[in-house]
Amino acid sequence: MRQEYHKLIRDNIPDIIRQQQVNFATKILSEEQYRQALRQKLLEEAAEAATANDENLVMELADLYEVIDALMAVSGISPEAVQATQNQRRQERGGFTQRLMLLWTDDVS
């Protein structure tokens, strides 16, 4: 029975599927399709990391990093630029080390 996916896969997945002697089809995406597929994959991997148990969290975070790295590369964004922006935002707005949760605000104007 055929199962439809229509999602971005890692480069070695066709070889893995071939070894299982399963019929399949792939296509090479255009640059714009690739950018969009990476953004969809980012959401997929983030959701998997968000729901991962402690045992699988490192693997899911590694997958998320892989997608982030690919998205940065295709967008021409250097790791140094991301790091600099992260540091600037941390300095201006803080990090998450205090474990604060905003419960409510009240507009007093």
Side-chain angles (χ1 to χ4, degrees):
M1 188 166 116
R2 179 175 284 186
Q3 187 168 350
E4 300 286 331
Y5 290 97
H6 300 277
K7 68 179 193 173
L8 189 64
I9 58 172
R10 288 176 174 262
D11 297 339
N12 294 339
I13 296 299
D15 292 334
I16 293 169
I17 296 171
R18 201 172 287 113
Q19 289 172 0
Q20 297 171 350
Q21 298 181 342
V22 173
N23 292 324
F24 66 96
T26 61
K27 73 175 186 175
I28 297 175
L29 301 175
S30 70
E31 183 86 10
E32 186 55 39
Q33 289 171 325
Y34 178 53
R35 288 174 187 261
Q36 186 59 38
L38 279 170
R39 290 173 184 252
Q40 290 171 335
K41 193 70 165 179
L42 184 68
L43 295 173
E44 176 189 329
E45 296 298 346
E48 289 176 8
T51 59
N53 60 31
D54 290 344
E55 185 178 313
N56 293 325
L57 184 56
V58 171
M59 181 180 63
E60 296 302 340
L61 290 173
D63 288 347
L64 189 55
Y65 267 117
E66 191 68 32
V67 175
I68 290 169
D69 286 347
L71 190 54
M72 288 180 355
V74 75
S75 300
I77 300 170
S78 72
E80 295 80 15
V82 172
Q83 185 69 51
T85 303
Q86 179 185 5
N87 290 339
Q88 179 183 359
R89 291 184 58 80
R90 184 181 296 133
Q91 185 176 32
E92 292 170 358
R93 302 178 70 90
F96 296 98
T97 59
Q98 294 182 24
R99 303 184 314 221
L100 298 171
M101 178 179 284
L102 182 63
L103 299 179
W104 56 271
T105 64
D106 195 359
D107 185 6
V108 293
S109 54

